[in-house]
Amino acid sequence: MEPLRDSFGREISSLRVSVTDKCNFRCTYCMPAEGLEWLRRDEILSFEEIQRLVEVMAAMGVGEVRLTGGEPLVRRELPELVRMLAATPGVDDLSLTTNGVLLDRLAAPLVEAGLRRVNVSLDSLSHVRFAEITRRDALDAVLRGLAAAEQHPELRPIKVNCVAVKGFTEEEVPALAELARRKPYVVRFIEFMPLDADEAWRGDKVLSGAEIRAIVEEHWPLVEIPAKASSTARRFRFADGAGELGFVNPVSEPFCSTCDRIRLTADGQLRTCLFSRREWDFKTPLRDGASDEELAALVRHAVAHKELKHRITDPGFVRASRSMSQIGG
Ligand code: SAM
């Protein structure tokens, strides 16, 4: 089949699937303390509906599938979905992004079902500051989750993602860098984006990848590792050979020109950019009995309208129509 290309020639090969909008954390850069209005159960795609859409897209060359949310591990029976997607023809890279709090008990069934990669979000290694940013006292549970992931050599690489917020993260950098040196985790710093439901984001709250690198290099020199063109992260290894760091710099060094991603929300809306103002409804056609060919044509139509780039730093920037936990980060 013709590969899936947008109108700027970018080939789409990666899909983020949000399996729920609910989360058991309330990270300050993502969700309000009181949570959000959750989707109703009947609004959320079933595993069969998700699998069908993934199958249609995988046949068009979308081989990389990442499960996310909300918090994907709060969706019941998630290993069953992993099993279904791992067996879907064309899906050759199946991964999960999680806050890690339930990973302790779910790592084994997820691996058994076919999961091969995991990203765990972790913003601080101090109990007090972890609770401050996530509004949950759960650092020990997340560290147990990471340790459980580590027990499974099939699950590699293990990536640890930290959202870098100015005035908070500077203090966390040495301990997180040290974690990357001591453990088989690739620690990655992600610039804070205007996707927080509280709308508290401001340009001066972004701690850039370059600023973090400078903090790390006060302790340990780094050497850049060449990354593949579509990679979101700039990769660095410690010069003495102990471990790897990544920097995802969507604000200071946008990588839209090589973006190969689309996103499916928990309620079956396809988004062609994190910052989209427009979504493409797949739940209705799915439930109205659309054929695979009709679904594929709709995917092509949506992708043809993929945005050229985000406009975070442009004057008059308009925020996305939903916040990060509702989109699926
Ligand atoms: N609950 C899961 C987790 O914690 O990884 C998956 C969903 S979460 C929305 C996915 C990723 O988005 C996490 O790494 C999170 O830290 C990141 N994120 C959330 N809000 C963000 C923001 N405003 N800017 C940058 N990254 C953000």
Side-chain angles (χ1 to χ4, degrees):
M1 206 186 278
E2 263 293 283
L4 192 54
R5 260 206 201 91
D6 74 5
S7 59
F8 304 101
R10 293 170 297 192
E11 205 167 302
I12 305 304
S13 55
S14 168
L15 172 70
R16 307 276 161 105
V17 178
S18 173
V19 296
T20 178
D21 59 327
K22 286 189 188 150
C23 190
N24 41 12
F25 281 13
R26 295 287 181 274
C27 301
T28 51
Y29 50 75
C30 188
M31 230 193 237
E34 64 281 10
L36 292 161
E37 199 176 312
W38 311 126
L39 293 166
R40 290 190 322 268
R41 219 191 149 119
D42 63 310
E43 290 178 287
I44 292 190
L45 295 191
S46 67
F47 287 173
E48 289 69 25
E49 288 169 330
I50 292 174
Q51 195 272 338
R52 172 122 188 266
L53 283 179
V54 167
E55 189 167 354
V56 166
M57 293 191 219
M60 304 165 92
V62 183
E64 190 185 318
V65 177
R66 170 174 294 280
L67 300 177
T68 182
E71 171 46 42
L73 299 188
V74 304
R75 176 100 188 232
R76 286 186 28 200
E77 312 296 341
L78 191 74
E80 188 47 38
L81 178 65
V82 168
R83 191 180 311 285
M84 290 160 71
L85 298 182
T88 299
V91 174
D92 47 35
D93 184 353
L94 182 58
S95 60
L96 170 80
T97 297
T98 172
N99 62 28
V101 76
L102 300 174
L103 199 55
D104 184 12
R105 63 185 103 128
L106 282 167
L110 287 167
V111 170
E112 198 271 321
L115 189 73
R116 289 297 171 263
R117 276 194 314 125
V118 69
N119 285 8
V120 177
S121 300
L122 177 58
D123 300 309
S124 172
L125 287 167
S126 136
H127 288 87
V128 171
R129 289 169 58 81
F130 181 96
E132 187 187 323
I133 199 141
T134 62
R135 302 191 179 104
R136 295 289 183 270
D137 180 10
L139 174 61
D140 288 338
V142 172
L143 294 176
R144 279 197 300 277
L146 273 166
E150 219 180 307
Q151 293 302 309
H152 299 275
E154 305 92 326
L155 215 50
R156 293 291 185 277
I158 297 173
K159 292 184 184 165
V160 170
N161 289 335
C162 166
V163 176
V165 182
K166 196 162 247 170
F168 182 90
T169 306
E170 294 89 334
E171 211 176 295
E172 308 304 323
V173 170
L176 287 166
E178 202 268 329
L179 182 75
R181 294 174 57 75
R182 159 163 77 78
K183 289 283 191 181
Y185 311 152
V186 178
V187 173
R188 309 189 319 159
F189 296 94
I190 302 174
E191 289 175 351
F192 180 26
M193 291 180 277
L195 290 162
D196 54 322
D198 278 338
E199 304 199 8
W201 183 92
R202 291 195 319 260
D204 61 7
K205 290 191 179 172
V206 178
L207 180 66
S208 72
E211 289 170 295
I212 296 176
R213 223 167 79 210
I215 300 174
V216 175
E217 292 204 309
E218 286 169 18
H219 304 261
W220 304 282
L222 297 173
V223 179
E224 186 150 14
I225 308 170
K228 63 173 185 178
S230 65
S231 169
T232 54
R234 284 182 66 183
R235 301 171 56 197
F236 290 81
R237 64 177 173 80
F238 291 89
D240 64 6
E244 180 178 329
L245 293 180
F247 296 92
V248 183
N249 303 337
V251 183
S252 68
E253 297 178 71
F255 36 80
C256 306
S257 64
T258 56
C259 179
D260 61 355
R261 280 169 296 283
I262 50 178
R263 292 180 148 82
L264 182 66
T265 65
D267 56 343
Q269 308 296 307
L270 194 73
R271 297 177 64 93
T272 49
C273 173
L274 262 177
F275 294 92
S276 289
R277 302 273 310 152
R278 171 179 198 179
E279 300 180 336
W280 303 87
D281 178 21
F282 277 74
K283 180 175 56 165
T284 308
L286 263 175
R287 294 185 179 174
D288 284 352
S291 67
D292 286 356
E293 292 69 28
E294 285 166 334
L295 292 173
L298 269 173
V299 172
R300 277 195 202 284
H301 182 72
V303 163
H305 289 81
K306 183 172 164 68
E307 296 77 351
L308 173 62
K309 58 178 189 163
H310 74 62
R311 299 182 188 277
I312 299 176
T313 49
D314 288 6
F317 164 72
V318 185
R319 292 177 58 106
S321 53
R322 304 203 215 191
S323 59
M324 189 66 130
S325 66
Q326 300 167 315
I327 296 169

